[in-house]
Structure formats: C-alpha cells, structure tokens
Amino acid sequence: MVSRRLSRLEGHRRKFMAVVDQTPECSRAVLYAGYRARNTGGGVVLIFIVPPQDFQQWLGVGDIMREEAMEEANSALAKTAQFIREKVGIEPELVIREGQPVEQIHALIEEDRDIAILVLASGSTKEGPGPLVSSVAGRSAAFPIPVTVIPDALGDEEIEALS
C-alpha cells in the first residue's frame, strides 16, 4: 500500500521518476519523463541507485569502492541532468540511494508523495528488457504507482511526439 499521492493538491505537482544507470536505454526513459513533466507542468526526479557493497572484512577497500561508486553516481546524474536541461529545458531533482533498486524505488515513492509515475525503458539486448522492467512484468516489484515503459528503439522525436 502506498501513501496517498499529493501531486494534485495546491502547492504540489506531479513528478515523473526515472532511474539513471549505465544502460543504453536509460536516456529513453529520462527523455520521456522530462517531456511529460514539461508538457504537463510537472517535475522530474532522477534516481541513481548504488548497489550495496559487501567488503566488511576489508573495510578500507569497501570505503574506497563506496567512494568510487558515489563519484560515479554523481557524475552520471550530473550528465543526465545537463541532458534534460538542454533537451527539455527543465531542472530535475537528483537523488542518490544505496541498496537494492526495487527497495530504494519503493522507499523514494513513499517519501516523496508527489511522485506519481515511474518511467522505465526496456532494453532490446539478448539479456532481455532489463531487471526493473522484468520485475514489473513478473510482478515481483509491484510498484505502487503507474509504470510507463518506453521501448529503447524510439528516437528523440518519437518520444517527444508521444509525450
């Protein structure tokens, strides 16, 4: 069960959340979320999830790996935010979380009650559509808000026309 969304109340606006990662299809979801937000007067939340590290016996190594992962997250979010600013003309909110992706997405949805739509993009590689899209299709994630899945084969103009 998810808390009541506040996005339609005065002083609030509907937010579209997209997950930033190293997959090629990530930009498709981000672009769609940006255009939808712009076209509907909403906002965009970009989340980068750093997977949990398990190097307790080598604390120094774990700290270095965590620091490197955070640098990678900040860099990826900065690059993606710049892409949205230039392409769509809006300023996204940036969030970095550590942990399991599905759990962190659920947690952010619960914390930010203006997030009303999760936008994912499906991959077209031999590995399948991607772990998050697969989890939605398999119902193992069961996100508490609507999920929009963007095919990675759509071009920028097609995404803009659909949003």
Side-chain angles (χ1 to χ4, degrees):
M1 177 112 175
V2 70
S3 299
R4 183 171 170 256
R5 302 291 88 192
L6 303 177
S7 57
R8 296 289 184 194
L9 299 178
E10 187 174 328
H12 295 269
R13 64 186 180 151
R14 178 172 56 176
K15 295 178 184 176
F16 296 81
M17 179 169 56
V19 178
V20 175
D21 57 23
Q22 304 302 335
T23 62
E25 65 270 10
C26 165
S27 66
R28 309 295 74 212
V30 167
L31 188 60
Y32 181 84
Y35 280 135
R36 285 291 295 150
R38 183 189 69 191
N39 293 342
T40 62
V44 173
V45 176
L46 302 176
I47 182 171
F48 189 103
I49 303 165
V50 176
Q53 306 294 324
D54 189 26
F55 288 93
Q56 294 176 355
Q57 69 273 25
W58 301 99
L59 244 82
V61 173
D63 289 344
I64 292 169
M65 290 182 71
R66 182 177 184 275
E67 188 176 307
E68 289 173 351
M70 288 303 209
E71 287 175 17
E72 177 186 340
N74 281 310
S75 175
L77 281 175
K79 181 180 173 184
T80 305
Q82 187 61 32
F83 171 74
I84 286 293
R85 285 185 210 104
E86 292 173 0
K87 194 82 170 167
V88 181
I90 63 173
E91 185 65 35
E93 294 178 36
L94 308 178
V95 177
I96 298 174
R97 293 293 183 101
E98 291 182 78
Q100 297 299 327
V102 171
E103 291 172 11
Q104 295 306 314
I105 291 168
H106 275 275
L108 186 56
I109 290 168
E110 185 60 29
E111 291 166 22
D112 188 340
R113 294 175 53 195
D114 287 339
I115 296 174
I117 308 286
L118 173 60
V119 181
L120 302 173
S122 65
S124 59
T125 65
K126 63 181 178 182
E127 288 83 32
L132 287 175
V133 173
S134 295
S135 69
V136 170
R139 298 187 47 80
S140 64
F143 292 109
I145 59 175
V147 178
T148 301
V149 179
I150 308 302
D152 75 333
L154 291 178
D156 291 2
E157 292 172 2
E158 294 166 309
I159 289 175
E160 185 174 17
L162 290 170
S163 62

